[in-house]
Amino acid sequence: MLDVWMNDSSYNHGFFIFPISFWLIYQNKTQILNTQTTLEIRTLVLFIPALLLWYISSSISINVVEQLSMISIILITVWMLLGSKIFSITIFPLAFLFLSVPLGKSLIPILMEITAYMTVSLTKLVGIPIYSDGMYFTLPTGNWSVVEACSGLNYLIASITLGVLYAYLTYQSLSKRIIFVLFITFFSIVANGLRAFGIVMIGHYSKMEYGTGGDHTFYGWIFYGVVIFLIFYIGSFWKEAPNLPIDVMSTNHSTTTK
């Protein structure tokens, strides 16, 4: 996993997942420390299969399954040694660790097709002649192609990671959290198509002077940053106050009457 984080820009976010998980757990330290631990032996029915799956996938080098199994073992171990109550408090921070697993490469062809389709369609919509052939298309000012780097997988993964974290910190209801994550996932895909179209337009109207070199990536991240900011701003209108733990001691006082 570390090797992928270091060598694939789509998964550089993996370095931050474990620290964020620890930070989220630390935010609940008072509630955790005031909760009694219990040993959950019944979780062995989950732990043993997870361990076997990890061992088998490690032996035959199925990296994704091995890594998912490893994260599962971490969750089940916490559940087993600390009990269901503490596990329920920490389940999201622990489940957040699954986002450290490098997933999504199989989506690249689909994302490339969506990007190419949106770019060609929007170019036709603004009245500019364009000839397309799969991932390649030609404008009067030059030729373009949608390659793996244009698929937007890095934007999609970053959006899902940020969206999950934002939803957890901003909303209390599960339905709102799910809706927001789906919302940001959908718009990150749409935004990547708009980003590609915008770069093609920059190249077209500048006679291919801009938008074809290093500024290609620069424009993309600036556009992505603006989109994420707008999505977070829209999401803030439905923000919910956190459910603060009730101080049981304060409710146990009694009053006397004379």
Side-chain angles (χ1 to χ4, degrees), residues 188-240:
S188 67
I189 296 173
V190 173
N192 185 64
L194 294 174
R195 175 196 65 83
F197 167 70
I199 290 174
V200 169
M201 291 299 97
I202 291 173
H204 176 72
Y205 287 111
S206 67
K207 306 299 181 182
M208 303 299 284
E209 184 176 353
Y210 301 107
T212 57
D215 54 349
H216 183 120
T217 303
F218 176 76
Y219 294 146
W221 280 109
I222 291 295
F223 181 79
Y224 172 75
V226 172
V227 169
I228 290 296
F229 173 80
L230 289 175
I231 292 175
F232 284 176
Y233 176 72
I234 294 171
S236 67
F237 287 105
W238 293 275
K239 182 177 181 179
E240 296 174 323

Side-chain angles (χ1 to χ4, degrees), residues 20-31:
I20 291 173
S21 176
F22 295 147
W23 175 76
L24 292 173
I25 292 173
Y26 182 76
Q27 302 308 302
N28 294 316
K29 63 183 183 300
T30 301
Q31 191 176 3

